[in-house]
Amino acid sequence: MSRYVKSRFHGVSYKAHKKRVYADKKDQRYYVEYTDRAGTIRRDVVGYASQGWTVTKVHWLLRALKQNIRTGAGPQSLEEWKEAENTLTASVITWDWYQPYWQEIKKLPILERD
């Protein structure tokens, strides 16, 4: 059985898959380790390198998760994060969500055509 390999980022580790190959090497499965709201240390699977995950992307996901746990806003576990992501992609973008961005877009200078 292969062992967890710690990355250069705290709380991010990976494990090489025995048979899966990606980019001429064993596919890496990324994990995050964090303390949840209840104080329990959790290790959750994020995904594989072949799915587009990198150590840096996993690190930024972990930073966002920890920030949400600290502030009490947004998804506070990886399961909640995936559920919210699925809900967001399935829902239609409403005007209330888009309006602040529209106000900023209207302020941008319009490029003149030749």
Side-chain angles (χ1 to χ4, degrees):
M1 181 121 189
S2 58
R3 298 176 51 194
Y4 292 104
V5 179
K6 292 184 180 182
S7 72
R8 64 179 185 232
F9 298 112
H10 180 73
V12 178
S13 58
Y14 60 90
K15 198 183 215 184
H17 195 275
K18 291 179 184 178
K19 296 181 181 177
R20 261 175 103 152
V21 177
Y22 175 69
D24 297 331
K25 60 182 181 180
K26 292 184 178 182
D27 201 2
Q28 295 175 348
R29 187 175 191 181
Y30 293 103
Y31 297 85
V32 290
E33 190 172 309
Y34 61 97
T35 306
D36 64 3
R37 293 177 289 222
T40 308
I41 296 175
R42 298 187 56 163
R43 177 177 280 171
D44 292 334
V45 177
V46 176
Y48 284 96
S50 59
Q51 296 171 331
W53 287 102
T54 62
V55 175
T56 309
K57 285 182 182 179
V58 175
H59 169 67
W60 282 101
L61 173 73
L62 181 60
R63 283 186 61 170
L65 258 175
K66 286 182 177 181
Q67 180 68 25
N68 289 348
I69 291 169
R70 261 187 250 115
T71 60
Q76 298 179 14
S77 71
L78 204 55
E79 295 155 0
E80 290 177 12
W81 190 281
K82 289 178 182 178
E83 183 180 311
E85 188 178 71
N86 291 339
T87 306
L88 180 64
T89 55
S91 67
V92 178
I93 297 174
T94 62
W95 176 250
D96 294 334
W97 179 85
Y98 186 71
Q99 189 174 9
Y101 299 105
W102 177 248
Q103 299 300 328
E104 293 299 317
I105 290 169
K106 286 184 357 185
K107 293 178 186 175
L108 295 175
I110 299 173
L111 299 175
E112 295 181 14
R113 291 185 173 206
D114 294 331

